Amino acid sequence: MTDRPDHFTPYHFTKGRGPILVSMPHVGLDLPEDIAATLTEEARKLTDTDWYVDRLYDFLGDVDCSVIKARYSRYVIDLNRGETGQALYPGMSETELCPTTGFGTEPLYLAGQVPGPEEVARRKALYWQPYHDQIAAELARIRQEFGFAILWDAHSIQSHVPRFFDGRLPDLNLGTGNGVSCDPALAELLREIGEASDYSTILNGRFKGGYITRHYGDPAANIHAVQMETSQITYMDEAPDFTFQEARAARLRPVLKDMMRQCQAFF
């Protein structure tokens, strides 16, 4: 039982007219009251959100993309993890399907309130499954219309997160699951666009694409998936301020927009 009202939709979706679906699984800021009551005061600040990614990508209407955005925080459930919680980077530090620690390893839940298997299953049915059903349906629609589909999974993260990487993260981090989720020539084209810009760029570095990229990307079936992990310092003031900086974003947007237009024109 999911306790889902008939009108409940755990995401925002806009249908576009082009061949690209943009997914933003970590922009959500909503916390259901019952879950919020189990979180620590620090966790309720939602520090690990992909802050303002939807605002950064405010040009998507110009590119005619379909867009799906999470409504709920990644602390409720991480939409970029597999439903069984399988590791994305074996042997490296990761957070879970229903995260119990933040990026700084601090506990997210009050003592005795960590979600058990039944609660995780409830959240999967209520929040995770509908998001993925919509991705699958929209990619199928796009491929039927255009003969191919492109999934762009948009993320951001603070430039320094010692738990996950040493030093400062490159500005633009493209991931294609080490080449399995996207035509390699397209991936190289995107990397070249980034390297020609003022932003440090890497392909399949520390971030190679999460579950969404690896699960849906299937070049043999004409579905190509790319993850973009953007260093937050390129468009905002990072913790503790979390302030969007329009001047920085305005410099970055043309690079992202060029990448997406090249995706449209590639096939």
Side-chain angles (χ1 to χ4, degrees):
M1 183 173 178
T2 62
D3 300 322
R4 180 192 302 165
D6 291 340
H7 65 277
F8 178 82
T9 306
Y11 56 81
H12 302 282
F13 175 71
T14 304
K15 181 180 176 181
R17 296 180 296 177
I20 301 176
L21 169 62
V22 177
S23 163
M24 300 180 183
H26 294 154
V27 298
L29 294 172
D30 288 359
L31 279 176
E33 290 183 7
D34 59 332
I35 295 176
T38 67
L39 296 175
T40 67
E41 181 178 355
E42 186 65 25
R44 291 195 293 273
K45 296 177 182 178
L46 308 181
T47 298
D48 301 327
T49 299
D50 287 9
W51 292 100
Y52 309 115
V53 164
D54 48 350
R55 187 171 174 183
L56 175 64
Y57 283 81
D58 70 355
F59 57 84
L60 292 178
D62 297 337
V63 193
D64 289 329
C65 297
S66 294
V67 183
I68 182 169
K69 303 187 298 184
R71 285 181 55 196
Y72 291 90
S73 169
R74 68 188 303 161
Y75 290 168
V76 173
I77 195 163
D78 191 333
L79 300 172
N80 201 28
R81 296 291 183 272
E83 58 184 326
T84 63
Q86 62 267 38
L88 293 170
Y89 300 96
M92 304 184 76
S93 182
E94 298 186 53
T95 54
E96 308 97 322
L97 178 61
C98 290
T100 59
T101 58
F103 288 179
T105 72
E106 71 282 2
L108 298 179
Y109 287 87
L110 299 169
Q113 297 295 317
V114 171
E118 289 187 2
E119 173 60 12
V120 172
R122 185 188 75 86
R123 296 187 195 182
K124 281 195 295 186
L126 191 57
Y127 305 104
W128 188 96
Q129 193 63 56
Y131 191 89
H132 285 271
D133 288 346
Q134 183 62 42
I135 288 179
E138 183 62 7
L139 289 175
R141 183 197 68 79
I142 291 172
R143 183 176 60 178
Q144 183 176 18
E145 180 174 347
F146 294 95
F148 69 95
I150 297 168
L151 173 62
W152 184 276
D153 205 38
H155 296 259
S156 74
I157 192 170
Q158 293 190 59
S159 57
H160 292 83
V161 185
R163 176 176 181 175
F164 300 137
F165 51 84
D166 297 328
R168 175 171 166 165
L169 188 71
D171 297 327
L172 304 178
N173 300 266
L174 292 156
T176 62
N178 274 339
V180 303
S181 70
C182 174
D183 185 308
L186 175 57
E188 283 299 316
L189 175 59
L190 298 174
R191 180 185 61 79
E192 290 170 3
I193 293 171
E195 290 185 344
S197 74
D198 294 331
Y199 299 96
S200 57
T201 303
I202 192 167
L203 173 62
N204 291 316
R206 173 60 180 90
F207 294 100
K208 305 177 191 298
Y211 174 80
I212 290 173
T213 303
R214 302 184 203 187
H215 179 72
Y216 294 102
D218 186 359
N222 295 318
I223 298 177
H224 303 265
V226 177
Q227 177 176 292
M228 172 60 83
E229 188 83 56
T230 305
S231 178
Q232 291 176 350
I233 198 66
T234 61
Y235 68 92
M236 61 176 281
D237 292 334
E238 299 179 332
D241 296 329
F242 301 118
T243 304
F244 189 82
Q245 293 294 337
E246 178 58 38
R248 288 185 221 166
R251 290 194 296 271
L252 176 57
R253 286 187 185 115
V255 180
L256 298 172
K257 190 172 183 179
D258 188 22
M259 288 182 175
M260 305 196 82
R261 290 210 180 278
Q262 292 301 321
C263 284
Q264 285 180 317
F266 186 82
F267 298 99

mmCIF file of all heavy atoms in Angstrom, residues 7-35:
data_model
loop_
_atom_site.group_PDB
_atom_site.id
_atom_site.type_symbol
_atom_site.label_atom_id
_atom_site.label_comp_id
_atom_site.label_asym_id
_atom_site.label_seq_id
_atom_site.Cartn_x
_atom_site.Cartn_y
_atom_site.Cartn_z
ATOM 1 N N HIS A 7 -4.481 12.235 -7.131
ATOM 2 C CA HIS A 7 -3.903 13.391 -7.806
ATOM 3 C C HIS A 7 -2.400 13.518 -7.570
ATOM 4 O O HIS A 7 -1.762 14.423 -8.104
ATOM 5 C CB HIS A 7 -4.592 14.678 -7.323
ATOM 6 C CG HIS A 7 -4.349 14.954 -5.869
ATOM 7 N ND1 HIS A 7 -5.095 14.358 -4.873
ATOM 8 C CD2 HIS A 7 -3.438 15.739 -5.241
ATOM 9 C CE1 HIS A 7 -4.661 14.776 -3.690
ATOM 10 N NE2 HIS A 7 -3.652 15.607 -3.881
ATOM 11 N N PHE A 8 -1.831 12.643 -6.776
ATOM 12 C CA PHE A 8 -0.444 12.805 -6.346
ATOM 13 C C PHE A 8 0.532 12.572 -7.495
ATOM 14 O O PHE A 8 0.474 11.551 -8.184
ATOM 15 C CB PHE A 8 -0.131 11.829 -5.207
ATOM 16 C CG PHE A 8 1.296 11.894 -4.727
ATOM 17 C CD1 PHE A 8 1.686 12.868 -3.828
ATOM 18 C CD2 PHE A 8 2.248 10.992 -5.182
ATOM 19 C CE1 PHE A 8 2.999 12.941 -3.378
ATOM 20 C CE2 PHE A 8 3.556 11.046 -4.733
ATOM 21 C CZ PHE A 8 3.923 12.024 -3.832
ATOM 22 N N THR A 9 1.454 13.503 -7.710
ATOM 23 C CA THR A 9 2.533 13.352 -8.683
ATOM 24 C C THR A 9 3.817 13.856 -8.040
ATOM 25 O O THR A 9 3.909 15.043 -7.710
ATOM 26 C CB THR A 9 2.252 14.155 -9.973
ATOM 27 O OG1 THR A 9 0.982 13.784 -10.491
ATOM 28 C CG2 THR A 9 3.315 13.870 -11.020
ATOM 29 N N PRO A 10 4.813 12.987 -7.855
ATOM 30 C CA PRO A 10 6.018 13.391 -7.127
ATOM 31 C C PRO A 10 7.060 14.083 -7.998
ATOM 32 O O PRO A 10 8.233 14.122 -7.637
ATOM 33 C CB PRO A 10 6.546 12.055 -6.603
ATOM 34 C CG PRO A 10 6.139 11.074 -7.646
ATOM 35 C CD PRO A 10 4.789 11.549 -8.147
ATOM 36 N N TYR A 11 6.623 14.622 -9.140
ATOM 37 C CA TYR A 11 7.561 15.307 -10.028
ATOM 38 C C TYR A 11 6.799 16.373 -10.812
ATOM 39 O O TYR A 11 5.569 16.383 -10.866
ATOM 40 C CB TYR A 11 8.226 14.314 -10.994
ATOM 41 C CG TYR A 11 7.250 13.513 -11.818
ATOM 42 C CD1 TYR A 11 6.657 14.044 -12.964
ATOM 43 C CD2 TYR A 11 6.900 12.212 -11.450
ATOM 44 C CE1 TYR A 11 5.737 13.313 -13.711
ATOM 45 C CE2 TYR A 11 5.987 11.474 -12.191
ATOM 46 C CZ TYR A 11 5.414 12.035 -13.313
ATOM 47 O OH TYR A 11 4.498 11.315 -14.053
ATOM 48 N N HIS A 12 7.570 17.256 -11.429
ATOM 49 C CA HIS A 12 7.024 18.223 -12.370
ATOM 50 C C HIS A 12 7.487 17.803 -13.768
ATOM 51 O O HIS A 12 8.666 17.532 -13.975
ATOM 52 C CB HIS A 12 7.539 19.629 -12.065
ATOM 53 C CG HIS A 12 7.227 20.111 -10.687
ATOM 54 N ND1 HIS A 12 5.989 20.585 -10.330
ATOM 55 C CD2 HIS A 12 8.005 20.191 -9.575
ATOM 56 C CE1 HIS A 12 6.008 20.946 -9.056
ATOM 57 N NE2 HIS A 12 7.218 20.711 -8.579
ATOM 58 N N PHE A 13 6.574 17.779 -14.725
ATOM 59 C CA PHE A 13 6.922 17.351 -16.079
ATOM 60 C C PHE A 13 6.388 18.345 -17.102
ATOM 61 O O PHE A 13 5.248 18.797 -17.013
ATOM 62 C CB PHE A 13 6.349 15.963 -16.382
ATOM 63 C CG PHE A 13 6.576 15.526 -17.810
ATOM 64 C CD1 PHE A 13 7.842 15.175 -18.257
ATOM 65 C CD2 PHE A 13 5.519 15.493 -18.709
ATOM 66 C CE1 PHE A 13 8.055 14.799 -19.577
ATOM 67 C CE2 PHE A 13 5.716 15.111 -20.032
ATOM 68 C CZ PHE A 13 6.994 14.759 -20.467
ATOM 69 N N THR A 14 7.250 18.684 -18.054
ATOM 70 C CA THR A 14 6.868 19.532 -19.179
ATOM 71 C C THR A 14 7.250 18.812 -20.467
ATOM 72 O O THR A 14 8.405 18.416 -20.649
ATOM 73 C CB THR A 14 7.597 20.891 -19.128
ATOM 74 O OG1 THR A 14 7.328 21.525 -17.882
ATOM 75 C CG2 THR A 14 7.150 21.781 -20.267
ATOM 76 N N LYS A 15 6.292 18.630 -21.332
ATOM 77 C CA LYS A 15 6.539 17.962 -22.603
ATOM 78 C C LYS A 15 7.094 18.957 -23.608
ATOM 79 O O LYS A 15 6.535 20.031 -23.818
ATOM 80 C CB LYS A 15 5.245 17.348 -23.142
ATOM 81 C CG LYS A 15 5.399 16.613 -24.463
ATOM 82 C CD LYS A 15 4.060 16.043 -24.909
ATOM 83 C CE LYS A 15 4.143 15.384 -26.281
ATOM 84 N NZ LYS A 15 2.829 14.851 -26.720
ATOM 85 N N GLY A 16 8.226 18.591 -24.228
ATOM 86 C CA GLY A 16 8.829 19.431 -25.241
ATOM 87 C C GLY A 16 8.507 18.948 -26.643
ATOM 88 O O GLY A 16 7.771 17.980 -26.838
ATOM 89 N N ARG A 17 9.082 19.627 -27.626
ATOM 90 C CA ARG A 17 8.844 19.280 -29.027
ATOM 91 C C ARG A 17 10.076 18.720 -29.704
ATOM 92 O O ARG A 17 10.051 18.424 -30.895
ATOM 93 C CB ARG A 17 8.367 20.522 -29.784
ATOM 94 C CG ARG A 17 7.028 21.063 -29.290
ATOM 95 C CD ARG A 17 6.616 22.288 -30.066
ATOM 96 N NE ARG A 17 7.559 23.395 -29.850
ATOM 97 C CZ ARG A 17 7.474 24.572 -30.448
ATOM 98 N NH1 ARG A 17 6.490 24.805 -31.309
ATOM 99 N NH2 ARG A 17 8.351 25.520 -30.199
ATOM 100 N N GLY A 18 11.162 18.559 -28.949
ATOM 101 C CA GLY A 18 12.408 18.075 -29.522
ATOM 102 C C GLY A 18 12.786 16.699 -29.010
ATOM 103 O O GLY A 18 12.033 16.059 -28.272
ATOM 104 N N PRO A 19 13.985 16.224 -29.378
ATOM 105 C CA PRO A 19 14.387 14.852 -29.071
ATOM 106 C C PRO A 19 15.090 14.665 -27.729
ATOM 107 O O PRO A 19 15.622 13.591 -27.469
ATOM 108 C CB PRO A 19 15.346 14.523 -30.216
ATOM 109 C CG PRO A 19 15.993 15.835 -30.530
ATOM 110 C CD PRO A 19 14.916 16.868 -30.328
ATOM 111 N N ILE A 20 15.121 15.704 -26.880
ATOM 112 C CA ILE A 20 15.864 15.628 -25.619
ATOM 113 C C ILE A 20 14.905 15.641 -24.434
ATOM 114 O O ILE A 20 13.983 16.456 -24.373
ATOM 115 C CB ILE A 20 16.858 16.792 -25.483
ATOM 116 C CG1 ILE A 20 17.863 16.801 -26.637
ATOM 117 C CG2 ILE A 20 17.603 16.717 -24.148
ATOM 118 C CD1 ILE A 20 18.808 17.994 -26.614
ATOM 119 N N LEU A 21 15.155 14.744 -23.488
ATOM 120 C CA LEU A 21 14.504 14.766 -22.180
ATOM 121 C C LEU A 21 15.562 15.129 -21.147
ATOM 122 O O LEU A 21 16.586 14.458 -21.042
ATOM 123 C CB LEU A 21 13.898 13.407 -21.831
ATOM 124 C CG LEU A 21 13.416 13.233 -20.385
ATOM 125 C CD1 LEU A 21 12.292 14.206 -20.051
ATOM 126 C CD2 LEU A 21 12.983 11.793 -20.121
ATOM 127 N N VAL A 22 15.322 16.199 -20.393
ATOM 128 C CA VAL A 22 16.222 16.603 -19.321
ATOM 129 C C VAL A 22 15.633 16.151 -17.994
ATOM 130 O O VAL A 22 14.476 16.455 -17.675
ATOM 131 C CB VAL A 22 16.437 18.125 -19.314
ATOM 132 C CG1 VAL A 22 17.327 18.537 -18.142
ATOM 133 C CG2 VAL A 22 17.053 18.583 -20.633
ATOM 134 N N SER A 23 16.424 15.411 -17.242
ATOM 135 C CA SER A 23 16.019 14.917 -15.929
ATOM 136 C C SER A 23 16.789 15.683 -14.852
ATOM 137 O O SER A 23 17.999 15.888 -14.968
ATOM 138 C CB SER A 23 16.317 13.414 -15.827
ATOM 139 O OG SER A 23 16.306 12.971 -14.488
ATOM 140 N N MET A 24 16.066 16.098 -13.812
ATOM 141 C CA MET A 24 16.671 16.796 -12.673
ATOM 142 C C MET A 24 16.224 16.097 -11.391
ATOM 143 O O MET A 24 15.308 16.539 -10.710
ATOM 144 C CB MET A 24 16.259 18.268 -12.657
ATOM 145 C CG MET A 24 16.659 19.033 -13.901
ATOM 146 S SD MET A 24 16.138 20.778 -13.821
ATOM 147 C CE MET A 24 16.668 21.347 -15.439
ATOM 148 N N PRO A 25 16.868 14.981 -11.043
ATOM 149 C CA PRO A 25 16.359 14.163 -9.944
ATOM 150 C C PRO A 25 16.667 14.675 -8.544
ATOM 151 O O PRO A 25 16.104 14.177 -7.576
ATOM 152 C CB PRO A 25 17.045 12.816 -10.183
ATOM 153 C CG PRO A 25 18.330 13.173 -10.870
ATOM 154 C CD PRO A 25 17.993 14.344 -11.741
ATOM 155 N N HIS A 26 17.549 15.687 -8.434
ATOM 156 C CA HIS A 26 17.977 16.118 -7.103
ATOM 157 C C HIS A 26 17.687 17.583 -6.817
ATOM 158 O O HIS A 26 18.296 18.176 -5.930
ATOM 159 C CB HIS A 26 19.481 15.858 -6.919
ATOM 160 C CG HIS A 26 19.849 14.411 -6.904
ATOM 161 N ND1 HIS A 26 21.102 13.947 -7.261
ATOM 162 C CD2 HIS A 26 19.123 13.305 -6.579
ATOM 163 C CE1 HIS A 26 21.134 12.636 -7.162
ATOM 164 N NE2 HIS A 26 19.938 12.226 -6.747
ATOM 165 N N VAL A 27 16.763 18.194 -7.571
ATOM 166 C CA VAL A 27 16.420 19.601 -7.319
ATOM 167 C C VAL A 27 15.290 19.751 -6.312
ATOM 168 O O VAL A 27 15.007 20.856 -5.860
ATOM 169 C CB VAL A 27 16.049 20.338 -8.623
ATOM 170 C CG1 VAL A 27 17.203 20.375 -9.589
ATOM 171 C CG2 VAL A 27 14.809 19.729 -9.265
ATOM 172 N N GLY A 28 14.633 18.664 -5.951
ATOM 173 C CA GLY A 28 13.461 18.741 -5.085
ATOM 174 C C GLY A 28 13.767 19.291 -3.705
ATOM 175 O O GLY A 28 14.799 18.971 -3.109
ATOM 176 N N LEU A 29 12.844 20.086 -3.181
ATOM 177 C CA LEU A 29 13.005 20.702 -1.861
ATOM 178 C C LEU A 29 11.882 20.323 -0.894
ATOM 179 O O LEU A 29 11.947 20.669 0.281
ATOM 180 C CB LEU A 29 13.063 22.223 -1.993
ATOM 181 C CG LEU A 29 14.283 22.775 -2.728
ATOM 182 C CD1 LEU A 29 14.114 24.274 -2.972
ATOM 183 C CD2 LEU A 29 15.558 22.505 -1.951
ATOM 184 N N ASP A 30 10.868 19.627 -1.374
ATOM 185 C CA ASP A 30 9.752 19.261 -0.510
ATOM 186 C C ASP A 30 10.131 18.120 0.429
ATOM 187 O O ASP A 30 10.883 17.206 0.047
ATOM 188 C CB ASP A 30 8.539 18.846 -1.335
ATOM 189 C CG ASP A 30 7.871 20.020 -2.026
ATOM 190 O OD1 ASP A 30 8.338 21.158 -1.859
ATOM 191 O OD2 ASP A 30 6.878 19.794 -2.743
ATOM 192 N N LEU A 31 9.590 18.189 1.633
ATOM 193 C CA LEU A 31 9.742 17.124 2.628
ATOM 194 C C LEU A 31 8.365 16.813 3.205
ATOM 195 O O LEU A 31 7.741 17.682 3.815
ATOM 196 C CB LEU A 31 10.660 17.558 3.776
ATOM 197 C CG LEU A 31 12.160 17.492 3.592
ATOM 198 C CD1 LEU A 31 12.843 18.062 4.834
ATOM 199 C CD2 LEU A 31 12.640 16.061 3.355
ATOM 200 N N PRO A 32 7.852 15.606 3.016
ATOM 201 C CA PRO A 32 6.594 15.249 3.679
ATOM 202 C C PRO A 32 6.735 15.397 5.197
ATOM 203 O O PRO A 32 7.798 15.128 5.764
ATOM 204 C CB PRO A 32 6.397 13.776 3.280
ATOM 205 C CG PRO A 32 7.217 13.615 2.037
ATOM 206 C CD PRO A 32 8.391 14.508 2.201
ATOM 207 N N GLU A 33 5.679 15.827 5.828
ATOM 208 C CA GLU A 33 5.751 16.118 7.261
ATOM 209 C C GLU A 33 6.182 14.912 8.073
ATOM 210 O O GLU A 33 6.960 15.036 9.031
ATOM 211 C CB GLU A 33 4.396 16.623 7.764
ATOM 212 C CG GLU A 33 4.030 18.010 7.252
ATOM 213 C CD GLU A 33 2.733 18.508 7.833
ATOM 214 O OE1 GLU A 33 2.189 17.829 8.742
ATOM 215 O OE2 GLU A 33 2.250 19.582 7.403
ATOM 216 N N ASP A 34 5.689 13.712 7.686
ATOM 217 C CA ASP A 34 6.030 12.533 8.483
ATOM 218 C C ASP A 34 7.509 12.198 8.380
ATOM 219 O O ASP A 34 8.128 11.740 9.345
ATOM 220 C CB ASP A 34 5.171 11.332 8.075
ATOM 221 C CG ASP A 34 5.327 10.977 6.609
ATOM 222 O OD1 ASP A 34 5.623 11.874 5.794
ATOM 223 O OD2 ASP A 34 5.141 9.786 6.267
ATOM 224 N N ILE A 35 8.103 12.447 7.225
ATOM 225 C CA ILE A 35 9.535 12.183 7.058
ATOM 226 C C ILE A 35 10.357 13.289 7.704
ATOM 227 O O ILE A 35 11.360 13.026 8.381
ATOM 228 C CB ILE A 35 9.885 12.021 5.568
ATOM 229 C CG1 ILE A 35 9.191 10.767 5.013
ATOM 230 C CG2 ILE A 35 11.394 11.943 5.362
ATOM 231 C CD1 ILE A 35 9.393 10.550 3.522
#
